[in-house]
């Protein structure tokens, strides 16, 4: 069943990740599982949803989320190993290219809102881990309609990505930026211009509006400006991301992927918060 609701959050969908950081060999399925069920959260878009928008985790990453906006009728694809309706016939290299460069095996481009520009930052090891995780999932048969766009997609998202290494974890700000990139935080937390492009000069200033069954949620200002996180302690920021509640205990709404983010390790959360603290303070870009 397809649902025409935008940006359904994955709040309840993710299951707790039992695998701890020390068990994650680079490029391994365990590393992939940790990333997918925490900061990377592909399931926030690729999980199937029920008629009320409730997540159907038992159907895995078999797609079904739909966007119906002027110029964009997009459907998150089935990325389980089903050979007919999923990615079962793709090689690992083809799958990796699709994720990091947005190019399918037939040469066509994957359209928005798949955040390919951010996935170009995925390290070779983490990309390998995500591919290994996808391969290890059960195949689910679910035919997802083709997306259509009222504008031409660009010829590509940039030159071929050949080799990427993650920055050293010891550099908390840089590693945190890496995590924020592969978690596409700024895809939602940066305002967009009239053409829908992220406004680079207001990185992290929030203000995007997301409509859905929850009404309208507005992405918050993640910079340390008075209208953002200035008066928050690092621990309060981490707690908000994990629990999906603000300092007064008021729950946030989708599409922020709290159900996934609760599984972010302490070390990774420390790096993410350090990165947010490094952003140039900016006034909130939204209206409320
Ligand atoms: C913000 C929503 C969103 C997120 C997050 C997202 N995707 Fe997608 N993805 C989409 C949409 C929408 C499409 C279909 C676009 C189209 O039809 O051109 C898609 C298409 C794909 C495809 C192409 C499949 C096919 O058969 O054409 C692959 C592979 C894929 N996504 C993998 C991933 C992986 C892996 C992640 C996490 C690293 C991810 N996606 C995160 C929305 C998302
Ligand atoms: C799909 C869009 C989306 C993505 C991706 C996303 N967020 Fe959010 N985030 C939101 C929205 C919308 C809200 C506000 C929800 C509300 O007000 O009900 C929010 C709220 C927050 C808050 C609360 C701040 C405050 O002032 O109360 C923090 C902190 C935050 N996000 C950090 C992050 C980080 C870090 C990431 C990446 C790991 C991230 N977000 C990814 C949409 C997103």
């Amino acid at each position: 069943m397809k649902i025409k609701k935008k940006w359904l959050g994955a709040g309840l969908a993710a299951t707790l990740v039992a695998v701890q950081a020390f068990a994650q060999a680079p490029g391994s399925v365990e590393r992939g599982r940790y990333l997918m069920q925490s900061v990377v959260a592909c399931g926030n878009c690729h999980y199937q949803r029920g008629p009320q928008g409730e997540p159907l985790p038992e159907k895995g990453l078999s797609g079904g989320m739909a966007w119906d906006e002027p110029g964009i009728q997009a459907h998150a694809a089935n990325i389980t190993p089903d050979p007919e309706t999923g990615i079962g016939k793709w090689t690992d290299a083809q799958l990796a290219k699709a994720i990091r460069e947005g190019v399918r095996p037939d040469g066509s481009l994957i359209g928005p809102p798949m955040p390919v520009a951010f996935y170009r930052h995925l390290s070779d090891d983490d990309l390998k881990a995500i591919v290994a995780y996808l391969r290890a999932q059960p195949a689910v048969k679910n035919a997802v309609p083709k997306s259509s766009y009222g504008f031409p997609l660009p010829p590509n998202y940039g030159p071929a990505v050949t080799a990427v290494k993650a920055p050293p974890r010891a550099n908390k700000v840089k590693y945190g930026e890496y995590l924020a990139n592969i978690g596409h935080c700024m895809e939602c937390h940066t305002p967009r211009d009239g053409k829908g492009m992220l406004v680079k000069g207001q990185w992290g200033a929030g203000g995007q509006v997301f409509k859905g069954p929850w009404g309208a949620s507005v992405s918050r200002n993640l910079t340390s400006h008075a209208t953002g996180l200035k008066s928050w302690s690092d621990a309060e920021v981490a707690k908000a991301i994990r629990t999906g509640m603000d300092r007064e205990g008021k729950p946030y709404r989708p599409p922020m992927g709290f159900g996934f983010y609760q599984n972010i390790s302490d070390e990774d959360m420390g790096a993410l918060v350090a990165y947010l603290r490094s952003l140039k303070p900016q006034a909130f870009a939204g209206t409320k």
Side-chain angles (χ1 to χ4, degrees):
M1 172 171 311
K2 301 301 165 299
I3 36 171
K4 290 275 175 202
K5 304 270 165 52
K6 286 182 251 181
W7 288 111
L8 292 165
L12 316 161
T15 44
L16 256 167
V17 179
V19 181
Q20 294 303 312
F22 56 78
Q24 298 167 25
S28 64
V29 179
E30 289 69 33
R31 172 71 179 159
R33 177 172 299 116
Y34 167 72
L35 289 171
M36 295 289 282
Q37 297 189 0
S38 67
V39 67
V40 172
C42 311
N44 206 19
C45 291
H46 282 278
Y47 273 162
Q48 253 189 69
R49 304 291 169 133
Q52 266 76 52
E54 74 277 16
L56 302 173
E58 71 276 14
K59 303 233 170 128
L61 297 156
S62 60
M65 255 193 75
W67 290 260
D68 189 0
E69 298 169 21
I72 298 192
Q73 277 76 46
H75 303 268
N78 180 346
I79 55 170
T80 74
D82 182 60
E84 307 308 326
T85 62
I87 47 81
K89 286 181 181 153
W90 300 12
T91 65
D92 286 4
Q94 287 172 334
L95 191 47
K97 195 173 171 70
I99 298 167
R100 193 157 67 177
E101 295 176 37
V103 182
R104 294 189 188 88
D106 67 3
S108 65
L109 212 65
I110 300 172
M114 168 93 172
V116 178
F118 286 96
Y119 295 156
R120 290 175 68 83
H121 296 275
L122 272 166
S123 74
D124 297 352
D125 281 346
D126 285 345
L127 181 60
K128 189 173 158 212
I130 289 171
V131 169
Y133 173 84
L134 290 174
R135 289 274 180 238
Q137 300 310 298
V140 178
K141 197 167 278 308
N142 178 44
V144 173
K146 258 181 111 65
S147 307
S148 66
Y149 301 93
F151 50 88
L153 293 178
N156 54 55
Y157 292 103
V161 185
T162 46
V164 182
K165 264 180 99 109
R169 282 171 182 273
N171 188 336
K172 271 176 88 171
V173 171
K174 275 281 158 209
Y175 194 74
E177 179 180 27
Y178 173 74
L179 293 174
N181 277 330
I182 67 174
H184 71 286
C185 311
M186 296 308 166
E187 174 86 5
C188 294
H189 282 280
T190 296
R192 290 180 187 276
D193 65 17
K195 289 187 175 144
M197 304 299 283
L198 296 176
V199 182
K200 296 257 158 77
Q202 286 176 291
W203 208 242
Q208 278 195 56
V209 180
F210 300 92
K211 295 192 178 133
W214 56 86
S217 63
V218 182
S219 65
R220 308 288 175 110
N221 183 356
L222 299 187
T223 77
S224 296
H225 185 269
T227 57
L229 301 175
K230 187 174 178 185
S231 67
W232 294 51
S233 69
D234 289 0
E236 284 172 334
V237 176
K239 193 171 169 209
I241 296 171
R242 282 217 174 99
T243 62
M245 283 186 288
D246 69 14
R247 290 189 291 186
E248 280 76 50
K250 189 165 169 263
Y252 299 117
R253 291 161 296 174
M256 173 79 180
F258 307 103
F260 295 92
Y261 301 156
Q262 67 182 352
N263 299 321
I264 295 175
S265 72
D266 291 346
E267 189 191 1
D268 284 356
M269 186 60 86
L272 265 175
V273 174
Y275 166 64
L276 296 183
R277 292 299 188 206
S278 78
L279 295 171
K280 186 173 159 233
Q282 305 259 8
F284 178 49
T287 49
K288 67 168 200 196

